[in-house]
Amino acid sequence: MTSTTKVKTENKKVTGGDFLNLGMYAFAGLGMEVLYAYLLEPAVYGVTMESFSTAQKISHWILTCATWGLFALVLIKKSEKKYGFPLFGKGKPVNPARWCLCLALIAIALTADLISWGGFKIYLEFLKTGPLLFVFQYLYYAFETMLFLLIIIFGQRALELWTGKANIPYGGIICGLTWGLAHAFTKDPLTGILGLVLGFGMGSVYLLVNKNLKKAYVILFLMFIV
């Protein structure tokens, strides 16, 4: 598909607003966890999320992952069937310079986590949770990565259609302003700011790998967990 201001699919003109809506649905999917963690599950368990038992934490992550997986599946299918924008494809090869920039962004993310966590995030979380919870928590991260990647992809497509330009990481800006800043309310302001910066970097990765979903997913997951 070309980066024109409007794309015609069947008899309908597809606009940037259609893709921005998909991105917002992906963000709403992420927000379902808030509903589970702060309203539904505390009502069922009789305790706040901070007091969940091991079994309750695992149940929370399984429920959240199932919800996120369903959102991702529906949005990917809708993008392809309704708007003629398939997300899976080989795309153009990624040259060594672009791979180096991706590695640099992973290194920056690692450095930021070393500063904010005071050590290696993966190791510290393993010590904090133990092997069983660690596995389910990182499964949770894997599904979360898929949804914020969809925010990036659909946000990028929306702004490209509106502006006619494809070399600016619009998707990363939208990801930072939604998923990133949401952490300022659910966690703390510093985490929100870091999320904003990380979102922009992740949007840049999507462009660096020539908009290849699979490659972008792997790099974004690494950036997120280091």
Side-chain angles (χ1 to χ4, degrees):
M1 296 174 67
T2 59
S3 295
T4 56
T5 55
K6 291 186 179 180
V7 178
K8 196 170 183 179
T9 302
E10 296 179 348
N11 295 320
K12 179 183 182 298
K13 287 183 178 180
V14 180
T15 68
D18 294 312
F19 288 102
L20 185 61
N21 285 338
L22 292 181
M24 293 303 98
Y25 285 137
F27 179 58
L30 288 173
M32 288 297 295
E33 185 191 15
V34 176
L35 177 64
Y36 295 154
Y38 293 98
L39 292 176
L40 298 182
E41 289 171 308
V44 172
Y45 300 145
V47 295
T48 62
M49 183 176 65
E50 291 76 15
S51 301
F52 281 0
S53 66
T54 296
Q56 289 166 348
K57 288 178 181 177
I58 291 174
S59 296
H60 167 75
W61 285 327
I62 291 175
L63 175 62
T64 301
C65 288
T67 302
W68 287 349
L70 180 61
F71 264 81
L73 180 63
V74 170
L75 292 175
I76 289 171
K77 287 186 175 295
K78 186 173 183 179
S79 174
E80 180 174 2
K81 293 184 177 181
K82 186 172 183 178
Y83 300 131
F85 186 66
L87 301 188
F88 292 96
K90 293 183 179 180
K92 298 179 181 179
V94 181
N95 63 44
R98 286 173 174 255
W99 282 122
C100 288
L101 288 173
C102 289
L103 289 175
L105 287 171
I106 293 174
I108 291 171
L110 173 59
T111 302
D113 274 342
L114 285 172
I115 294 172
S116 62
W117 282 75
F120 288 101
K121 176 182 175 182
I122 293 178
Y123 176 68
L124 294 174
E125 287 194 316
F126 181 82
L127 291 179
K128 179 181 178 181
T129 62
L132 180 60
L133 287 177
F134 180 84
V135 170
F136 281 97
Q137 184 170 20
Y138 275 73
L139 177 65
Y140 161 92
Y141 288 155
F143 279 87
E144 186 176 15
T145 301
M146 186 69 249
L147 275 189
F148 63 65
L149 175 56
L150 289 180
I151 294 174
I152 290 171
I153 292 173
F154 294 136
Q156 183 68 34
R157 185 61 181 161
L159 270 294
E160 285 180 0
L161 289 173
W162 279 330
T163 66
K165 298 180 180 180
N167 58 350
I168 299 173
Y170 302 113
I173 296 171
I174 292 176
C175 181
L177 291 174
T178 52
W179 169 81
L181 287 184
H183 284 72
F185 298 97
T186 59
K187 294 185 179 179
D188 57 76
L190 178 59
T191 302
I193 293 172
L194 290 175
L196 178 63
V197 175
L198 184 60
F200 182 81
M202 289 175 172
S204 299
V205 166
Y206 177 59
L207 297 185
L208 288 171
V209 297
N210 295 317
K211 302 177 182 177
N212 183 292
L213 182 147
K214 294 179 181 178
K215 293 174 182 176
Y217 177 83
V218 172
I219 297 172
L220 265 57
F221 182 65
L222 290 174
M223 290 177 67
F224 188 60
I225 67 172
V226 295

